[in-house]
Structure formats: C-alpha cells, structure tokens
C-alpha cells in the first residue's frame, strides 16, 4: 500500500544554520547544541581537516579546504548563515577571505566566524577595552590581538595558556579557564573579557565569571552562536549564556 503524505517547511522554519567545525574540535558541537535548541532553528555541521598543532601555517591551509567542507552540507535547505568555527584560523586567513571561500559554494548565505563575531559582540556590548585570554602560542595570540586593536578595541589585560596541541586545549579545566579570566580582568579596567578558542569549554562557566568579575564575557563559541542567530533574525534572549545573549546586533 502506498501511503499518502504532505510536506512542510522542515526543521528550519525560522532559521537554517550551518557550522564548519575543525577535525580536532571537541567542544563547539556540545556548546552549540545548547545555544541552538530553539523552536524552528535547524543547525547542521560539517568538518574541516586540521592537524592537532595550532601554528600559522596549519591554520592558513584551511582556506583552501573551506569550499570542500561547505559542499558537505545538505543541498536541499536554503542556508541563512554559515559559521566557520576557528578563531585562530579566522585571524590568520581573515574574515573576508573565509566568507569568500564559503560563498563559492553557498553564495546566498551570510558567513561569520569567531573573530568577526567577537568584534560584533564587543560593539553590541559597547565595549572599548578587553581583557583577553587565549590558549595559543605567542605568535598566534599576537596576530589576534592586532586584529582586535585594528577593530578599535584596547587590550587592558592579557594571558595565554601557550598550548599548541588542540587535544590538550579541549581538556583545560573549566576552573583553570575561570581563574585565568579573573586574573586577566584584574590586570586593568576592562569592559568585557574575551576568551578565545572554540575548543575551550566556556559556555557553562560564563555566568559565574560575569558574577565574579562584574563584566560581560565573550567566548568564541558563545559569540559565534549569538552572531549566527542574530544574523538569521533570531533574537530570543537567552541570559543563561551571558549578557551578550540578551542583546541584538549593534546598529
């Protein structure tokens, strides 16, 4: 017996989002599953090759690999936004080139990345001075610091775990991250604390850091998720993920 059926808009009745995740990343997907759990929001993942060692040359290689990863998304949905889930590679490649690479495959989708999202988050929060925490080697941290300063932000405090192995970064404890944020915030007056890297486990501890330091927190995954939702027109406040998630995009 052939059964009758009808069709509808599918899962993404409000927004269809895609995120390209590093092969080595163990944190982004679990954190995104919490942020994107909203009615009518569909989230799809693709992966991109990445060796465990985070160095400028390994990060730059991903520019060539982005189109192939974008082709692995389902072909039927019309994607509203694609996010590229690597803060350090976005810094090395540049947000404009990331978007260009993705849009060779998905020309109608908006594209963002953690660096672009952190900058947008800083503007939404009205921040001028950042406390800045990274897990990167000094040369990678220096490049990102320069990009943030070029975007108009001052760095009031800085600290890094100086770890090049992404497998280790995923296992840095939440308590160590929270303590690092507090130490960096104590170096000088800041308007927000940026905790960079999609593989650092931050989402669960953001409210506690904000309560302890008295300033908003911007983490890579949190900012990327917020930016993707806001670019897609989804503005539901989710204060459990920090002050940023109560705000719209800045004009």
């Amino acid at each position: 017996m052939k059964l009758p059926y009808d069709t509808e808009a599918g899962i993404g009745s409000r927004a269809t989002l895609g995120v390209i995740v590093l092969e080595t990343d163990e944190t982004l997907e679990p954190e995104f599953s919490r942020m994107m759990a909203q009615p009518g929001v569909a989230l799809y993942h693709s992966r991109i090759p990445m060796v465990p060692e985070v160095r400028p040359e390994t990060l730059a290689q991903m520019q060539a690999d982005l189109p192939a990863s974008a082709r692995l998304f389902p072909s039927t949905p019309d994607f509203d936004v694609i996010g590229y889930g690597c803060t350090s590679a976005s810094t090395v490649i540049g947000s404009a080139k990331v978007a260009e690479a993705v849009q060779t495959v998905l020309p109608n989708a908006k594209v963002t990345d953690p660096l672009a999202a952190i900058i947008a988050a800083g503007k939404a929060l009205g921040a001028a001075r950042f406390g800045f925490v990274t897990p990167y080697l000094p040369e990678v941290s220096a490049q990102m610091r320069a990009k943030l300063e070029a975007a108009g932000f001052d760095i009031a405090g800085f600290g890094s775990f100086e770890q090049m192995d992404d497998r280790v970064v995923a296992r840095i404890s939440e308590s160590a991250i929270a303590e690092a944020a507090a130490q960096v915030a104590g170096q000088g007056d800041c308007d927000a604390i940026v905790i960079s890297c999609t593989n650092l486990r931050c989402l669960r501890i953001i409210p506690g850091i904000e309560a302890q330091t008295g300033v908003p927190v911007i983490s890579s995954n949190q900012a990327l998720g917020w930016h993707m939702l806001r670019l897609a027109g989804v503005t539901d406040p989710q204060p459990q993920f920090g002050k940023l998630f109560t705000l719209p995009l800045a004009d």
Side-chain angles (χ1 to χ4, degrees), residues 119 122-123 126-130 144-155 191:
I119 291 170
K123 292 178 179 178
R129 293 167 57 83
F130 284 156
M144 187 174 179
R145 177 172 181 156
K147 289 288 181 74
L148 292 175
E149 290 174 336
F153 301 102
D154 293 327
I155 305 301
D191 306 311

Side-chain angles (χ1 to χ4, degrees), residues 20 46-49 60-73 82 84 93 97-107 111:
I20 297 171
S46 181
R47 288 271 176 170
I48 189 167
Q61 172 60 36
M62 282 190 280
Q63 182 179 355
D65 294 330
L66 276 166
S69 294
R71 289 189 191 97
L72 295 177
F73 286 117
I82 300 294
Y84 169 49
I93 297 168
K97 291 182 178 179
V98 167
E100 181 182 346
V102 171
Q103 287 172 337
T104 62
V105 179
L106 296 165
V111 180

Side-chain angles (χ1 to χ4, degrees), residues 12-28:
S13 57
R14 296 175 69 199
T16 300
L17 310 177
V19 61
I20 297 171
V21 188
L22 299 193
E23 176 184 351
T24 56
D25 196 300
E26 302 174 43
T27 305
L28 186 149

